[in-house]
Amino acid sequence: MDRAEASRIIDMKDIASRLDYDFDLFRELAELFIEDSARLMKLIKINIDNSDFPMLRKTAHTLKGSISNFSCESAYNLALMLEKASASASENEVKDAYDLLVKDIDNLQKSLSVIMKLDGF
């Protein structure tokens, strides 16, 4: 993945503006997100496997909030979809949203890693 592809996943203009162009802060948030999102995705999978929809809803909500820091509309919307599906205990919708979210979180993590290697926004 290169910078151009990463910029298609993350709205760099928006995030740079929201962070007051503080690239060090971006790096710190990105590192935390990569670590935390991996943990949250594991919890989400456990919640799905156990059909624990109340906990799944909370975990999806937490992940959605973390994603919102990075101006990644696609992953945010999928986390929201997962949160809503878990609130209605719709197993098929939960599984569909999860499958799509796994791919988007992976792309977001890769994009953040690429951008962190740069000297700035």
Side-chain angles (χ1 to χ4, degrees):
M1 177 177 293
D2 61 13
R3 180 187 175 118
E5 190 174 354
S7 293
R8 283 191 294 274
I9 293 169
I10 298 170
D11 183 341
M12 291 304 299
K13 289 180 183 178
D14 182 61
I15 194 168
S17 175
R18 284 191 296 119
L19 295 177
D20 241 3
Y21 297 88
D22 185 340
F23 198 70
D24 290 332
L25 177 58
F26 169 80
R27 276 194 183 114
E28 184 178 332
L29 291 172
E31 288 170 359
L32 289 170
F33 176 81
I34 290 170
E35 182 179 313
D36 199 41
S37 63
R39 180 186 61 80
L40 290 170
M41 290 302 290
K42 286 178 186 174
L43 283 174
I44 286 171
K45 178 68 171 127
I46 291 167
N47 296 152
I48 291 170
D49 290 346
N50 294 330
S51 298
D52 187 347
F53 296 111
M55 191 55 147
L56 175 58
R57 183 171 160 255
K58 290 177 185 177
T59 308
H61 179 79
T62 300
L63 180 63
K64 181 184 73 175
S66 295
I67 293 168
S68 71
N69 290 318
F70 296 102
S71 303
C72 182
E73 188 175 336
S74 177
Y76 179 89
N77 288 335
L78 287 169
L80 176 61
M81 182 189 311
L82 182 60
E83 181 182 3
K84 287 180 178 180
S86 61
S88 64
S90 172
E91 287 189 39
N92 288 335
E93 287 179 35
V94 163
K95 289 179 182 176
D96 290 344
Y98 173 77
D99 290 342
L100 294 170
L101 183 59
V102 166
K103 293 174 188 172
D104 267 30
I105 292 296
D106 183 57
N107 285 334
L108 177 53
Q109 290 170 338
K110 287 176 182 174
S111 297
L112 292 172
S113 294
V114 165
I115 295 165
M116 282 191 296
K117 293 176 184 173
L118 304 173
D119 290 329
F121 294 108

